[in-house]
Amino acid sequence: TESPDLHYSDPLRFLGMPMAWLGLAPDYVPVNGPLPDYPLTGRYAGIISWINSDEVADAGRYSAWLERQVDAGVPLAVFSRFGMAYDNPLLRKLGLQFFEADKSALLKVTARHAMTGFELPVTPRQGELYPLRLSGEGQPLLTIHSSAGQVFHPAALTAWGGYALAPYTVDELPGQDNGERWYINPLTFLSQALKLDPSIPVADFTTENGRRLLLVHIDGDG
């Protein structure tokens, strides 16, 4: 997480419910603070990041730590941005190729996995697309071609986990507060990116004694 206030951080706002549904108990760690210096393998299901900047402060320290976790076999699920420069060696090691996008070219969605277009239809976002292509082992979840002959993969599952990059994570409905909707199904994506075992029972936070719950809150401020 990047935000100093956990309550307003995107990992909690957008991923708190999906993680609880999957039975995951998160430990939130600020990316610009101390990072765990103990082995994560066997202790955590994986690392989930949600970074909204192209390069975080002290990105070299962060990418070196992340590379050690990937080498140790800890699954990685990346949302929004990777938080490091395009020429960072780790990105090439992850099988990702960055390039200069022709911003004057027209874009067209040519292929998409069933987990995309979850709550919002996937349409080309001219000028907002992350200039990235999956060149290593993996399965693109969304493929966009440009009239200049360039190919973009904004979301994919990979041998090391997976990524879903802005602007194809969430978007806000016009004229609504808290009206965010998902482009990608976070439950399916997290399950497959973190390689969760579906046969292992997890705590179900959505029921009590097997019955569904409806919670209603009436706010009376002022």
Side-chain angles (χ1 to χ4, degrees), residues 114-132:
M115 76 173 72
T116 63
F118 178 50
E119 294 179 320
L120 289 171
V122 176
T123 56
R125 302 287 295 272
Q126 202 78 21
E128 299 182 53
L129 202 58
Y130 212 50
L132 174 146

Side-chain angles (χ1 to χ4, degrees), residues 6-148:
L6 180 60
H7 292 86
Y8 295 99
S9 67
D10 288 344
L12 178 59
R13 291 178 60 220
F14 299 128
L15 295 174
M17 183 278 290
M19 287 190 290
W21 180 276
L22 294 170
L24 300 174
D27 286 338
Y28 293 96
V29 177
V31 69
N32 53 358
L35 299 170
D37 59 358
Y38 48 82
L40 304 184
T41 307
R43 184 178 306 197
Y44 292 97
I47 300 169
I48 302 172
S49 68
W50 191 303
I51 297 173
N52 294 319
S53 57
D54 285 333
E55 191 169 7
V56 299
D58 202 358
R61 177 185 64 94
Y62 172 62
S63 64
W65 177 84
L66 203 60
E67 183 173 7
R68 292 196 298 272
Q69 310 313 317
V70 172
D71 288 342
V74 180
L76 175 62
V78 176
F79 288 89
S80 188
R81 291 286 190 263
F82 280 92
M84 58 193 74
Y86 293 170
D87 59 353
N88 191 294
L90 175 59
L91 297 177
R92 293 193 297 271
K93 181 176 180 177
L94 296 178
L96 304 175
Q97 179 183 357
F98 286 82
F99 50 90
E100 289 294 331
D102 186 340
K103 296 184 179 180
S104 64
L106 299 178
L107 302 177
K108 181 180 180 181
V109 176
T110 54
R112 69 176 187 86
H113 191 275
M115 76 173 72
T116 63
F118 178 50
E119 294 179 320
L120 289 171
V122 176
T123 56
R125 302 287 295 272
Q126 202 78 21
E128 299 182 53
L129 202 58
Y130 212 50
L132 174 146
R133 175 170 50 245
L134 179 65
S135 59
E137 180 184 353
Q139 175 190 7
L141 301 177
L142 183 61
T143 301
I144 295 177
H145 280 76
S146 78
S147 58

Side-chain angles (χ1 to χ4, degrees), residues 136-194:
E137 180 184 353
Q139 175 190 7
L141 301 177
L142 183 61
T143 301
I144 295 177
H145 280 76
S146 78
S147 58
Q150 296 178 318
V151 181
F152 305 87
H153 296 133
L157 294 173
T158 67
W160 44 265
Y163 64 88
L165 303 181
Y168 295 107
T169 49
V170 296
D171 204 358
E172 186 170 348
L173 299 179
Q176 294 192 28
D177 292 332
N178 300 318
E180 292 90 352
R181 297 293 184 269
W182 282 94
Y183 281 107
I184 191 167
N185 187 328
L187 299 170
T188 307
F189 175 77
L190 285 173
S191 296
Q192 297 190 27
L194 299 181

